[in-house]
Amino acid sequence: MAFGESDRSFMRQALDLAEKGRGLVEPNPMVGAVVVRDGRAFAEGHYERFGGPHAEVVALRRAGEAARGATMYVTLEPCDHRGKTPPCAPLVAEAGLRRVLVATPDPTAAQPRGGIEILTRRGVEVQVGLCRDEAVRLNAAFFKLAATGRPLVIAKWAMTADGKIAARSGSSRWISSDQARQTVHQLRGRVDCVIVGSRTARLDDPLLTCRDAERRRTATRLILCGRAVPEADSQLVETAGQAPVLLACPESRPPAGLGRLVELGCEALPVAAAEAAAGRCDLAALLDELGRRRMTNVLVEGGADTLGGFFDAGLVDRVMVFVAPLIVGGADAKTAVAGAGVEDIEKAFRLRDCETLAMGPDVLIQGWVTDPLGWAP
C-alpha cells in the first residue's frame, strides 16, 4: 500500500507524541494520535498515564465537531475491548472521520484486528502499516509481553576502553562519567525491575534506585540469590519499604538467612532451579514469573556472572554499554560478560540497529540482540 510523504510526516508526529508516555503507561502501550484536515494537523493527543484516556479520545476531544470528514493518524489500532476505559474503536467510528491510518494492529485485541473491523463496518476508510517498523520498536516491550509472556530484557554495563568492569582489586567507582550515570538513573526510572546477582549486591552494596527528578516508575530491585542473600544491614534491605526488593532463589533450596530478610520487608520469590547449575535460578522461569506480574521492561545490571547467564540462555533483547576512556589492564581484572560464552566469533551476538552516542567523555553503544519486529502481529 502506497503512502505519501505527508502521511509519513503526520505518523512520525504521532510517534513522537506516543514517546512522551514512556514509563508512565506501562504495561499498556505508548500511543499517539494526530487529526488532520486539508494537509494541516489541528488536533493531537497521546496516552499520558496508565488508566487515563487513550490517545484517540484525547485527540478527538480537542478536535470536536471538526473531526467530521478529517483523517486520523494513530500509532496503534484503536482498541476493541474494555480495560480501564471503554473501547476506543466505537468512539473513533462515531466521530465521523473519513480516514484512519494505523501504524500496526493491536496484538491484545479481543478479536484479531477487531478495532479495525469496527471502523471498517462503520464506513471509515482504514489503512494499516504506515511506519509499522518504527511503531513496533517504540512499543517493543508491549509486543514482546503479548507474544511471549515475558518482559523485554535490557543488559547494561559500564566498562573501560580495554573491556574491564573493575580493577583487579574489585574497585569500580566510578568507571563511567556523571553524564553516563545520570542516563542510567533515567533508565531505572522507566523500567519495572532492576536485576543484579547476590555477589554484586554483597560486594557493592548498591541502592539500585533512580536518583532523577523526572522518575516515572519505582523499579522493583531483584537480587538473584543462589547460596547467599544480601546483608541485613545493606542499603537494599534497609530501603525495602521505599522500593520493593525481590529475592529470587531456587525453590528447592532457599538460601540461609532468607526468612530474616522477609521479616525486614523483602519478598521471597521461589523460582525453578536451573538444570545445569545447582543452586541457581532458571532465568527463563524467572522471566515467566515477571511476565505474569505484568512487568514489561527489566534492566540487568550485573555482575559478570549474571550478565553471562542471561546471554548464555539467549534471553537478552537489548544492550546498552557505556565505554569510558580508561585503560585498567590486568589479566585478573573482570570483563563485563562471563558465563560460558560462544565457541567462536561466528556465533557471537551481533547487535542490530546499533547506534553510538556521546555521554560526556564516555560513549554509549546500544543496539538490539533480538529482532523486535518478530513479536508484532
Side-chain angles (χ1 to χ4, degrees):
M1 186 177 296
F3 297 104
E5 191 51 45
S6 63
D7 289 329
R8 298 183 188 281
S9 177
F10 289 128
M11 187 61 83
R12 290 188 183 113
Q13 181 179 341
L15 289 165
D16 289 342
L17 288 166
E19 175 66 39
K20 294 181 178 181
R22 187 177 297 279
L24 298 170
V25 303
E26 291 85 351
N28 287 347
M30 296 167 276
V31 183
V34 176
V35 185
V36 174
R37 182 190 295 278
D38 298 327
R40 182 181 68 85
F42 68 92
E44 62 183 32
H46 72 279
Y47 188 32
E48 298 179 10
R49 59 179 177 82
F50 179 72
H54 290 190
E56 305 94 312
V57 174
V58 175
L60 289 174
R61 285 175 181 170
R62 291 172 176 167
E65 285 299 313
R68 296 199 171 276
T71 296
M72 173 180 281
Y73 296 80
V74 62
T75 58
L76 188 73
E77 171 188 359
C79 60
D80 67 340
H81 55 283
R82 174 179 287 274
K84 294 282 186 180
T85 61
C88 292
L91 298 176
V92 174
E94 292 165 6
L97 293 161
R98 178 182 65 84
R99 182 172 171 238
V100 173
L101 285 83
V102 176
T104 180
D106 181 357
T108 64
Q111 299 293 329
R113 298 199 171 206
I116 295 168
E117 178 63 25
I118 289 172
L119 297 177
T120 302
R121 284 203 311 264
R122 302 283 186 91
V124 180
E125 178 187 348
V126 181
Q127 292 176 280
V128 182
L130 175 60
C131 297
R132 170 189 177 271
D133 292 1
E134 296 96 316
V136 172
R137 290 190 183 96
L138 173 76
N139 277 309
F142 168 73
F143 283 102
K144 183 187 179 185
L145 185 62
T148 70
R150 294 175 179 173
L152 186 81
V153 177
I154 306 166
K156 165 262 160 187
W157 64 88
M159 68 182 187
T160 62
D162 58 339
K164 307 297 185 179
I165 60 172
R168 68 173 184 267
S169 66
S171 170
S172 62
R173 294 186 179 179
W174 294 103
I175 286 177
S176 54
S177 64
D178 289 342
Q179 295 94 322
R181 294 200 300 276
Q182 183 60 35
T183 298
V184 172
H185 281 295
Q186 292 170 354
L187 179 60
R188 287 179 184 169
R190 287 163 170 74
V191 300
D192 297 294
C193 184
V194 178
I195 300 175
V196 298
S198 60
R199 186 171 186 274
T200 296
R202 292 172 73 91
L203 291 178
D204 294 352
D205 190 22
L207 266 173
L208 303 179
T209 54
C210 168
R211 275 89 81 190
D212 181 75
E214 296 183 4
R215 175 177 59 81
R216 299 184 173 194
R217 306 182 75 76
T218 298
T220 294
R221 297 161 303 164
L222 188 151
I223 318 304
L224 290 169
C225 303
R227 296 183 176 88
V229 295
E231 300 287 354
D233 61 352
S234 67
Q235 293 192 94
L236 284 164
V237 176
E238 289 184 341
T239 58
Q242 302 166 31
V245 174
L246 273 179
L247 304 175
C249 56
E251 59 187 0
S252 57
R253 188 168 60 183
L258 181 65
R260 174 58 178 153
L261 299 190
V262 171
E263 292 175 356
L264 293 173
C266 301
E267 179 187 351
L269 177 62
V271 179
E275 293 182 6
R280 294 192 179 185
C281 296
D282 183 306
L283 297 178
L286 173 66
L287 293 181
D288 289 336
E289 174 58 30
L290 298 184
R292 284 190 286 270
R293 294 178 179 228
R294 303 299 294 166
M295 291 190 182
T296 53
N297 295 274
V298 300
L299 179 65
V300 182
E301 292 208 27
D305 290 335
T306 296
L307 286 163
F310 275 91
F311 275 103
D312 285 349
L315 297 174
V316 176
D317 300 307
R318 187 164 175 80
V319 166
M320 298 181 69
V321 184
F322 295 88
V323 183
L326 303 174
I327 303 296
V328 168
D332 295 331
K334 276 208 167 188
T335 55
V337 181
V342 299
E343 295 178 5
D344 54 62
I345 291 297
E346 289 185 358
K347 295 180 180 179
F349 294 95
R350 192 170 300 277
L351 302 186
R352 63 182 76 213
D353 299 322
C354 194
E355 59 180 340
T356 58
L357 301 170
M359 293 282 163
D362 301 346
V363 174
L364 168 61
I365 302 173
Q366 59 183 356
W368 292 96
V369 178
T370 51
D371 183 3
L373 300 183
W375 300 319

